[in-house]
Amino acid sequence: MKLICGFVYGGEAEVSSIEMKGKVNNMMKHPMQEMMDRRRNGELTGIPSYCTANELVLEAALIRAKKTGKPVLIEATANQVNQFGGYTGMKPKDYYAMIMELAKKHGVPENQVILGGDHLGPLTWQKDTEEEAMAKSEELVYQYVLAGFTKIHLDTSMKVADDPEGILSTETIARRGARLYKVCMKAYEERLKEYPDAMRPVFVVGSEVPIPGGAQEEEDTLAVTRPEAFADTVDTYKKAFADAGVPDGMQDVIAVVVQPGVEFGDDQVFYYNSSNAKELCDKLKEYPNLIFEGHSTDYQTAESLRDMVIDGIAILKVGPAVTYGIREGLFALSMMEKELVPAGKRASLIETIDEVMTDDPGNWQNHYHGTYKQVALARKYSYSDRVRYYMNDPRIQDAIRKLFDNLVEYKIPMNMLHQYMPIQYRKVCRGELTLAPKDLAMDGAVQFMEDYEFAAQQ
């Protein structure tokens, strides 16, 4: 596919063309719209959103999709994947190709995979002026939609260099969001030229967005979004779409991001309390075409997640928890390696990870605080799981491969598996999981995915 950059988007003739093509193409409804239809018919259903670029997590998610036959929603964040490569080194078209190749490998049809873009906006360009940051944001969303991403979170809630002092106004957030929406639809029109059956994208908006990756400091309480703030967001976006010349833009919006009272930090989790979010969720009933998207739902119990879906928080974003699960699995395998493998042959993955992280502290040093010992423990075990930023490092990848090879050669005895991986032990006993080290590691993420599947009734 040829990416078209430096584009000019324009007036109402273009918008009408987009709308006509979208209406023709809507004979094939977006899976997220189908979910909305089921909810309007009284079915309490939702969908987990796996926001990650970790290959083991992605494989686990696709294997689960193959098993369940349900749509799988996978998202990349703007700092992971963007037109400059992000911290993964991938542009949107690269991430799309990687996911589809993995899907093909595991026998998952392309139309079962929903790809989303998370926090698309000025997230990584907050030191730029508005025009500089928004120009980069336009190119960002353009490349995401042109590549085939169909679930787009427009996040313009962060301030840029020349914004005035004080809280960023909802009007500014919505104005910038509507500007990005127009670019997305221009990209969709371009994609239709090559793929006439291309799915029309759906959108998520909202200004009360938790910090990606979890809170950076200890918190005592969380403020739930006020009902009037949610209503104001919807009304302001309607006006912003109209002012931008796309008065029907809100019809493509399926969800609003709110803070329902969930968050996590280094070693704390704020669990969902339905009564605390009752006023907010009652207000949602006035908007039958919308649901809430919950961010930072990581580490919630299965029951808390189910309560969220029942209350209308039907898109459940999860990122650090599933990579944390992989990290847990890898650490458990590394502990067993120390018991089974001669010292000279060991991969020593835990030590390798810490060495890589201390050599390059940029992705964790502003997140972990305290004494030397506290910071050292946080590097390994924090719920915010900054380890995930380092998993593609060649030294760590080599150590993972060596760890897996070692534990094939030195087979894990069942009694030791029970000691270090009791959840996986039970699955092996039931014939649901093999003793292959890679499968055991991936199941660290699956144990979280199963909670989301329970909540979403997948």
Side-chain angles (χ1 to χ4, degrees):
M1 181 187 302
K2 183 179 179 181
L3 293 179
I4 301 173
C5 304
F7 55 89
V8 177
Y9 63 93
E12 294 187 8
E14 282 187 334
V15 172
S16 298
S17 174
I18 294 169
E19 289 177 349
M20 285 299 295
K21 290 180 180 179
K23 287 174 182 176
V24 171
N25 193 56
N26 271 347
M27 290 186 293
M28 184 170 62
K29 188 170 284 190
H30 195 287
M32 302 290 287
Q33 293 285 15
E34 292 178 349
M35 182 188 78
M36 299 288 287
D37 289 343
R38 295 199 303 274
R39 286 189 64 87
R40 281 188 288 267
N41 289 330
E43 185 178 342
L44 296 177
T45 186
I47 190 167
S49 171
Y50 302 116
C51 194
T52 183
N54 182 287
E55 191 164 336
L56 290 175
V57 173
L58 294 171
E59 283 201 67
L62 289 163
I63 291 169
R64 296 298 301 173
K66 175 67 173 177
K67 180 177 180 178
T68 65
K70 302 287 187 179
V72 58
L73 172 56
I74 295 170
E75 300 204 41
T77 305
N79 60 344
Q80 289 175 329
V81 175
N82 58 46
Q83 66 266 42
F84 303 108
Y87 72 74
T88 64
M90 285 186 284
K91 297 179 180 181
K93 63 175 182 177
D94 302 322
Y95 187 88
Y96 182 95
M98 178 187 70
I99 297 298
M100 292 309 170
E101 184 62 32
L102 285 173
K104 182 179 178 181
K105 173 183 173 182
H106 293 289
V108 182
E110 283 193 25
N111 62 7
Q112 195 180 332
V113 182
I114 307 167
L115 281 183
D118 192 31
H119 294 289
L120 300 190
L123 175 66
T124 56
W125 304 298
Q126 294 177 60
K127 294 181 180 179
D128 292 347
T129 65
E130 176 177 9
E131 278 311 304
E132 291 168 339
M134 287 301 293
K136 292 174 182 176
S137 299
E138 287 178 345
E139 182 63 22
L140 173 73
V141 299
Y142 189 83
Q143 289 196 19
Y144 264 83
V145 174
L146 191 62
F149 292 72
T150 64
K151 189 265 185 186
I152 304 297
H153 172 211
L154 299 175
D155 181 9
T156 51
S157 63
M158 59 287 299
K159 296 180 70 172
V160 293
D162 55 351
D163 279 329
E165 292 292 326
I167 298 172
L168 199 62
S169 71
T170 306
E171 289 76 14
T172 298
I173 293 168
R175 172 177 57 78
R176 292 173 181 171
R179 177 174 167 180
L180 295 184
Y181 168 83
K182 288 186 68 175
V183 177
C184 289
M185 298 315 293
K186 175 63 178 176
Y188 172 60
E189 186 177 44
E190 291 294 334
R191 184 167 174 81
L192 282 173
K193 293 176 181 177
E194 188 167 354
Y195 302 98
D197 293 329
M199 191 78 68
R200 184 182 180 93
V202 295
F203 293 84
V204 176
V205 299
S207 59
E208 298 218 4
V209 184
I211 297 170
Q216 295 183 21
E217 298 178 358
E218 287 282 313
E219 299 185 49
D220 295 321
T221 59
L222 284 180
V224 175
T225 300
R226 295 299 306 157
E228 55 269 23
F230 157 59
D232 180 59
T233 292
V234 176
D235 292 342
T236 305
Y237 258 96
K238 286 180 180 177
K239 183 177 186 303
F241 282 133
D243 291 345
V246 282
D248 294 332
M250 202 66 196
Q251 293 180 14
D252 289 319
V253 175
I254 62 166
V256 176
V257 177
V258 293
Q259 174 50 276
V262 300
E263 184 57 281
F264 61 91
D266 275 350
D267 62 355
Q268 65 177 167
V269 178
F270 287 92
Y271 294 101
Y272 182 66
N273 185 317
S274 188
S275 62
N276 290 345
K278 185 177 187 307
E279 289 185 30
L280 172 64
C281 295
D282 283 347
K283 189 67 175 177
L284 180 63
K285 295 172 185 176
E286 299 176 19
Y287 300 85
N289 294 323
L290 293 173
I291 52 177
F292 288 145
E293 177 168 287
H295 287 220
S296 297
T297 71
D298 307 70
Y299 311 107
Q300 296 289 312
T301 67
E303 293 75 20
S304 293
L305 293 168
R306 182 62 180 152
D307 286 344
M308 292 172 73
V309 171
I310 291 170
D311 290 346
I313 308 158
I315 303 174
L316 302 169
K317 299 297 288 293
V318 55
V322 283
T323 53
Y324 181 94
I326 294 290
R327 197 274 313 153
E328 269 192 328
L330 291 171
F331 272 33
L333 292 172
S334 190
M335 295 289 189
M336 289 186 279
E337 181 192 48
K338 290 179 181 178
E339 297 278 8
L340 296 169
V341 179
K345 292 190 64 175
R346 293 176 195 158
S348 301
L349 175 63
I350 296 174
E351 293 78 9
T352 300
I353 287 174
D354 202 54
E355 180 181 301
V356 170
M357 292 181 73
T358 51
D359 284 350
D360 180 15
N363 285 311
W364 60 263
Q365 63 184 357
N366 293 329
H367 293 258
Y368 300 149
H369 311 285
T371 66
Y372 176 86
K373 181 66 172 178
Q374 288 170 328
V375 171
L377 289 172
R379 279 201 304 272
K380 291 181 179 179
Y381 302 115
S382 171
Y383 283 140
S384 65
D385 188 43
R386 307 302 292 182
V387 174
R388 70 189 189 277
Y389 289 91
Y390 298 87
M391 292 301 287
N392 287 333
D393 184 278
R395 286 176 288 174
I396 293 176
Q397 285 294 307
D398 287 345
I400 291 172
R401 282 190 289 268
K402 187 173 182 180
L403 174 65
F404 290 168
D405 289 344
N406 282 344
L407 293 177
V408 169
E409 182 179 353
Y410 296 86
K411 186 177 178 181
I412 299 169
M414 288 296 288
N415 54 3
M416 189 179 292
L417 185 68
H418 188 282
Q419 171 70 43
Y420 288 100
M421 304 184 83
I423 294 174
Q424 287 68 38
Y425 169 85
R426 289 191 288 272
K427 291 183 178 181
V428 172
C429 289
R430 294 194 296 261
E432 299 170 3
L433 186 64
T434 76
L435 273 173
K438 182 179 178 181
D439 290 349
L440 293 171
M442 286 196 298
D443 201 69
V446 170
Q447 66 192 34
F448 286 100
M449 292 176 180
E450 289 169 337
D451 289 343
Y452 284 88
E453 291 169 6
F454 165 80
Q457 293 296 290
Q458 285 209 321

